Amino acid sequence: KNFKVILGVRHLISAVKVLEGEEIKRNTYGNDRNTIFTNVIRNCYPITEEDNITLLKNAHIEEKRLVEIAMLSPQWIDIIAQVIQWDGFKEACYYFIAHMKDYDYDHKKAEIAKYTELDPIDLNDGAFDITWCKEVYTTLGEKRFTMIYNAAKFLCDNAFHTRARKYADAVIGKVGKEEFIKQIEKSRNKDALNAYCAIPLKDDTDLLERYLYIQSFLKESKKFGAQRQASEARCAEIAFMNLASNSRFKTVTRLSWMMESKNIKPTYS
């Protein structure tokens, strides 16, 4: 179980077959059979000497498990995309990767840059590409998007994947403003604040309400220490970016000017 890299699709297929009908483990530590073979899958990489696509197709692995493998071992995303041939599959996989918390973007920076113009530093701090999420959801449809959504937990053995889920829940209307406000007020949850900004806007009154809520969040941070104030100021900065992206104003400068001047003309309703 102390291996670092295993090469070849044949080893991947063997490990997957061992776990057929059984659970894949997120935890990387353990001596149990499921954890050991999950780690084989996690540490297995394709090699060009093999016909990866044909061998994986002929293995007749169910789609759900192929999606789980893509999330557990992103090095197989390109190959699995060609095996299952879902429109939007790669884009959706990278959506969940790009919107993880504390992700090492250098590994997938070039690939992520194909789908979003957001800076990797902003992504890491909570910036959200609403258009990207909408597009993959529309292209895949609810059933396939949900399959990738559920498999996103295999991207890590902690809760860092939940940010991407939270944002998706906001965009597709699965969770409303009230629930995110509860999370924010209970624990000053930064991801919930950003998700709150990503829920589709009803009208400019709704937009102003959310703008003022971020301002209130920022004002309340003054009662904390300097380090937390800085962290929450950055969170508010990203929240304004997400709200601007969700609005017709698109930039924080234009959004702030219009909100502060109260020069609001309804256009959403």
Side-chain angles (χ1 to χ4, degrees):
K1 68 183 177 74
N2 294 319
F3 38 68
K4 290 186 177 180
V5 174
I6 299 169
L7 299 175
V9 68
R10 297 175 193 276
H11 296 298
L12 176 76
I13 292 167
S14 296
V16 171
K17 291 294 184 181
V18 168
L19 294 179
E20 192 167 4
E22 299 182 42
E23 180 187 9
I24 286 179
K25 291 290 188 74
R26 291 176 59 207
N27 191 352
T28 56
Y29 302 100
N31 295 314
D32 62 286
R33 176 174 173 275
N34 288 46
T35 300
I36 290 170
F37 281 100
T38 297
N39 279 328
V40 172
I41 298 169
R42 181 181 282 114
N43 292 282
C44 192
Y45 285 75
I47 52 176
T48 55
E49 290 80 5
E50 292 181 324
D51 186 350
N52 295 293
I53 297 167
T54 299
L55 289 169
L56 206 50
K57 277 183 178 178
N58 291 341
H60 303 295
I61 299 167
E62 64 173 342
E63 287 184 336
K64 179 175 179 290
R65 184 49 52 96
L66 286 172
V67 172
E68 291 173 347
I69 294 167
M71 293 288 95
L72 182 69
S73 307
Q75 60 268 24
W76 292 95
I77 288 175
D78 285 4
I79 292 165
I80 290 172
Q82 294 179 73
V83 172
I84 65 175
Q85 297 187 324
W86 294 358
D87 288 341
F89 176 77
K90 273 182 65 174
E91 293 89 333
C93 288
Y94 283 110
Y95 158 77
F96 282 99
I97 290 171
H99 292 93
M100 279 180 63
K101 187 182 294 186
D102 292 339
Y103 184 71
D104 184 359
Y105 290 95
D106 286 342
H107 285 79
K108 298 293 181 182
K109 190 174 181 179
E111 195 67 40
I112 290 168
K114 294 177 183 177
Y115 306 115
T116 183
E117 295 180 356
L118 289 174
D119 187 281
I121 294 173
D122 291 337
L123 278 169
N124 202 44
D125 288 344
F128 178 43
D129 193 320
I130 296 171
T131 301
W132 186 4
C133 184
K134 286 179 178 177
E135 286 176 351
V136 294
Y137 183 79
T138 301
T139 303
L140 282 165
E142 182 180 2
K143 183 178 179 181
R144 287 178 173 177
F145 183 86
T146 300
M147 198 179 294
I148 301 173
Y149 175 104
N150 291 336
K153 64 186 178 183
F154 295 111
L155 283 168
C156 55
D157 58 4
N158 51 38
F160 288 169
H161 67 286
T162 58
R163 172 192 280 171
R165 284 181 165 188
K166 232 184 250 289
Y167 292 172
D169 288 343
V171 167
I172 66 179
K174 191 175 178 180
V175 178
K177 289 193 297 183
E178 295 77 12
E179 178 56 35
F180 288 127
I181 288 171
K182 283 181 188 176
Q183 294 176 27
I184 297 163
E185 296 184 351
K186 180 181 179 182
S187 60
R188 307 284 292 176
N189 188 298
K190 297 180 180 67
D191 292 341
L193 181 66
N194 282 305
Y196 166 79
C197 296
I199 296 169
L201 289 158
K202 293 180 180 178
D203 49 37
D204 281 339
T205 301
D206 185 13
L207 176 59
L208 181 58
E209 175 190 308
R210 296 195 218 183
Y211 178 84
L212 293 174
Y213 189 83
I214 301 170
Q215 294 279 30
S216 174
F217 177 89
L218 187 57
K219 184 178 179 180
E220 288 173 7
S221 72
K222 289 181 170 49
K223 64 186 178 183
F224 302 113
Q227 187 173 356
R228 183 161 175 182
Q229 281 189 46
S231 173
E232 294 199 349
R234 175 59 172 163
C235 174
E237 178 186 0
I238 294 293
F240 281 127
M241 286 174 55
N242 290 337
L243 186 61
S245 176
N246 195 18
S247 75
R248 72 180 188 273
F249 301 114
K250 299 307 175 188
T251 69
V252 175
T253 300
R254 291 182 63 204
L255 172 68
S256 299
W257 188 85
M258 293 300 291
M259 295 297 99
E260 297 298 337
S261 68
K262 298 183 170 60
N263 186 18
I264 311 297
K265 294 180 181 178
T267 60
Y268 294 99
S269 56

